[in-house]
Amino acid sequence: MGHGGGGAMSAELVEHLFLPAYGSAAAAELGDSAVLTVGDGTRLAFSTDSFVVKPMFFPGGSIGDLAVNGTVNDLAMSGATPLFMSSAFILQEGTALTDLGRIAQDMGAAARAAGVRLVTGDTKVVDSGSGDGVYINTSGIGVIPAGVDIGPRRAAPGDAVLISGDIGVHGVAVMSCRDGLGFGTTVESDTAALHGLVAAMLATGADVHVLRDPTRGGVAASLNEIATASRVGVELIERDLPVPDTVRDACSLLGLDPLQVANEGKLIAIVPADSADRVLAALTEHPLGRGARRIGTCVTGHPGMVVARTGLGGTRVVGLPVGEQLPRIC
Amino acid sequence: MKYLDEFSDPDLARRLVDEIHAATTRPWAMMEVCGGQTHSIIRHGIDQLLPDGVEMIHGPGCPVCVTPLEIIDRALAIAARPGVVFCSFGDMLRVPGSSQDLFSVKSAGGDVRVVYSPLDALKIARDNPDKEVVFFGIGFETTAPANAMTVHQARRLGVRNFSLLVSHVLVPPAIAAIMESPTCRVQAFLAAGHVCSVMGTSEYPPLAERYQVPIVVTGFEPLDILEGVRRTILQLEQGRHELENAYPRAVRDEGNLPAMEMLRDVFEVTDRTWRGIGTIPSSGWRLSEKYAEFDAERRFDVAGIRTAESSLCRSGDVLQGLIKPHECAAFGKECTPRNPLGATMVSSEGACAAYFTYRRLELVDAK
């Protein structure tokens, strides 16, 4: 299970198993999407993602809109305008058609809202017991505007670290309705397509260095990946992190770190310090970035490592989650 | 839970830190008993704020860490059986047994489920009458009442396919064992607030008297811990050794009487082995004869399993405060949260995991 958690074990699997086996792909930047140049110099972003979330319906969304928004966001994190998507279903025998219909409706609505077209797909059914409800894979293609160069290796010392709003919301919303947990909360998933928000940032003319949507593994995993790829340190100011009370309380109850909890409608932006204010202004003017703020800085010290200044004045390392997040006993 | 903010206020924290510095005239070593306190101290960098020479020794109060290897191995053997649904709190799944952990059993096809309450396991038993459902009942006095209540319910409802694998441990005998160790360096204790919220405080004044050691009942938020340290330092500096309750918002001297009554009905005191430490007399609970039919160890006959602890792991020395986690040669090398040799590296409340997770920067800089 841990190998799919988006943390250290997922990274190990990619680095030590997939990349050596794939050969030519070993030079890939390992961003949220691959950047491909075609004959006339047009740069395409290409991404794929699979969705296995349980339960399939949760406060604020479903596996359907998640499957569209997730791939749209992977494309958007390279600055691309998403254009086309595929959808492939793996269904367990006995899945209710009413559930499937609802998921398909959510996918269609999310695609229309994001301005992408679902153009190809596939359906497979596995024996009862061989799967668990509905799994969805989506792939997407988008076009990257000329002059935009966003990648995980571009973070530089002095750059500002921005977040587009409250963190940990999606993860807590899903946990709140899992079997056996079921705590009451008003938190709804933040699932949303972020390419409009990215376009607003790029319209400021700022040289956006890195974008990342901090999904599985949360902000901690994304920042660790950026710090490793760019060989910079990241210093966070813990009291500046936008953690809603509801998320903090749920995490406190379960012994989880909000920085490691999944998001679905937030982005991290690494931008030069002198453009941080105008990028922040562009973010906060957009409906999906109203809670944006600066949360830290890239530094030359401790390259590859993310360190937080605690509210009391101490410091702590913000690590990659190891595997699945495990609520503590007491 | 909004009030939690008030207990991490930086200005109040600074004031407490200043008072601690003003009161301290010489080095002191105090032990926080509970792993939750250890986690909070390292997570918030509280030990970095204390005067030089004031040392926090991390105690054995992480229930995941001290669950004995033989019980883990019995859990693994039971969980691997066909027809068994093995239910556990999440943080037990990665604890290494002699050769594997519950995640490995799950990967190999065992029906291992994470639950958040023993009552969830009882519900699974009622929903699956053709399966044997076992709940891994570990923990200190804090988790025991819910486990006792669940067994009580199972009997009341006539649920016959439910059992409890019990490994409860008790704090006061552990404090006594630590003080009686010839290598003991502990001069004062921050007692675990949630344990006292169940059991009250009556067991502590005799310990404070017998071992001439201050004991301050302390909570888990940053200000709770700083207040606990402040009161402990004052006692040490003034040569006092008393029980003080610095967590009155949760702890009453008499404890939780209905919970204690339930515990007395369902459990009885037994000698218990603590992983890494050894057997401490009268330091645990097992199911009483009245509830013996719900004892998973009897139901599955797993007493004869042989165990083998890693020879590299010094988890026991860490649990007794004899070494800091990074002083173990395997720390961060053979032993990491990804590949833990001992339980103190597994649980988020284990001292080794807390150091690995939050303190790598200092440890790297120190080399």
Side-chain angles (χ1 to χ4, degrees), chain B residues 339-355:
Chain B
N339 291 302
L341 295 181
T344 45
M345 188 58 98
V346 179
S347 162
S348 66
E349 296 186 358
C352 296
Y355 269 67

Side-chain angles (χ1 to χ4, degrees), chain B residues 16-31 49-56 187-190 213-216 218 224-242 244 246:
Chain B
L16 282 169
V17 168
D18 288 346
E19 287 181 35
I20 291 167
H21 277 260
T24 307
T25 63
R26 54 196 167 116
W28 298 109
M30 66 185 77
M31 173 177 276
L49 308 176
L50 299 179
D52 288 345
V54 171
E55 184 187 358
M56 303 303 301
Q187 295 168 294
F189 287 96
L190 302 185
V213 64
I215 303 177
V216 178
T218 304
D224 290 324
I225 290 167
L226 286 169
E227 174 62 8
V229 171
R230 187 186 73 85
R231 291 206 199 188
T232 307
I233 294 274
L234 286 177
Q235 284 206 44
L236 287 165
E237 291 282 346
Q238 294 163 8
R240 292 184 289 125
H241 45 83
E242 299 160 9
E244 283 186 65

Side-chain angles (χ1 to χ4, degrees), chain A residues 19-319:
Chain A
L19 289 185
Y22 293 173
S24 62
E29 272 221 324
L30 299 181
D32 287 331
S33 57
V35 176
L36 312 166
T37 304
V38 295
D40 62 354
T42 301
R43 285 179 307 147
L44 299 176
F46 178 42
S47 183
T48 190
D49 207 342
S50 298
F51 298 84
V52 297
V53 64
K54 281 195 293 188
M56 295 185 293
F57 303 98
F58 46 81
S62 73
I63 192 171
D65 39 41
L66 212 56
V68 171
N69 292 336
T71 289
V72 164
N73 291 345
D74 284 347
L75 297 171
M77 293 309 114
S78 56
T81 304
L83 296 175
F84 304 109
M85 282 181 64
S86 68
S87 72
F89 284 82
I90 296 174
L91 309 173
Q92 179 176 257
E93 184 183 20
T95 299
L97 286 177
T98 47
D99 285 345
L100 192 58
R102 203 173 140 195
I103 290 166
Q105 289 293 333
D106 286 349
M107 290 186 76
R112 284 189 292 281
V116 294
R117 289 170 57 199
L118 288 159
V119 292
T120 184
D122 181 46
T123 306
K124 296 281 191 297
V125 178
V126 296
D127 292 338
S128 179
S130 298
D132 191 3
V134 174
Y135 299 151
I136 307 174
N137 173 272
T138 51
S139 297
I141 291 179
V143 174
I144 301 172
V148 171
D149 179 16
I150 298 170
R153 292 195 174 96
R154 290 202 63 214
D159 283 0
V161 180
L162 313 179
I163 186 89
S164 65
D166 288 344
I167 65 173
V169 175
H170 172 76
V172 165
V174 171
M175 277 188 270
S176 75
C177 55
R178 282 216 168 127
D179 277 352
L181 195 48
F183 55 85
T185 178
T186 54
V187 175
E188 293 198 341
S189 169
D190 55 352
T191 178
L194 297 171
H195 56 301
L197 193 60
V198 173
M201 294 166 67
L202 295 176
T204 66
D207 179 17
V208 176
H209 286 168
V210 188
L211 291 175
R212 201 88 186 188
D213 64 331
T215 54
R216 292 166 311 150
V219 170
S222 293
L223 287 177
N224 271 282
E225 286 162 14
I226 293 166
T228 302
S230 298
R231 298 306 300 160
V232 296
V234 174
E235 188 172 296
L236 296 178
I237 306 300
E238 205 164 59
R239 72 172 66 170
D240 291 341
L241 294 171
V243 184
D245 288 343
T246 42
V247 169
R248 187 168 28 189
D249 292 349
C251 287
S252 176
L253 192 70
L254 297 169
L256 305 177
D257 184 347
L259 281 167
Q260 297 186 340
V261 175
N263 310 272
E264 283 294 343
K266 296 297 180 311
L267 61 79
I268 292 167
I270 310 272
V271 300
D274 58 7
S275 57
D277 287 344
R278 70 189 143 113
V279 173
L280 256 184
L283 282 169
T284 50
E285 280 169 19
H286 192 281
L288 294 175
R290 285 202 185 105
R293 60 168 81 176
R294 180 172 179 165
I295 56 172
T297 305
C298 296
V299 296
T300 48
H302 52 84
M305 202 178 273
V306 181
V307 173
R309 289 213 169 279
T310 72
L312 301 189
T315 56
R316 69 168 174 116
V317 172
V318 178

Side-chain angles (χ1 to χ4, degrees), chain A residues 9 12 180-181 238-239 245 248-249 252 302 307 310-312 314-317 322 324 326-330, chain B residues 1-2 4-5 10 13 43-44 48-49 63 89-91 94 116 120 138 222 337-338 349 357-358 360-361:
Chain A
M9 291 172 72
E12 278 174 24
L181 195 48
E238 205 164 59
R239 72 172 66 170
D245 288 343
R248 187 168 28 189
D249 292 349
S252 176
H302 52 84
V307 173
T310 72
L312 301 189
T315 56
R316 69 168 174 116
V317 172
V322 174
E324 282 289 286
L326 300 174
R328 69 179 177 206
I329 174 175
C330 63
Chain B
M1 287 178 56
K2 247 187 154 169
L4 286 183
D5 282 352
R43 159 82 173 72
H44 295 284
Q48 299 166 337
L49 308 176
F89 292 127
D91 47 3
R94 231 184 262 133
Y116 303 91
D120 293 340
I138 73 151
R338 171 77 179 84
E349 296 186 358
T357 304
Y358 298 130
R360 261 175 299 140
L361 182 59

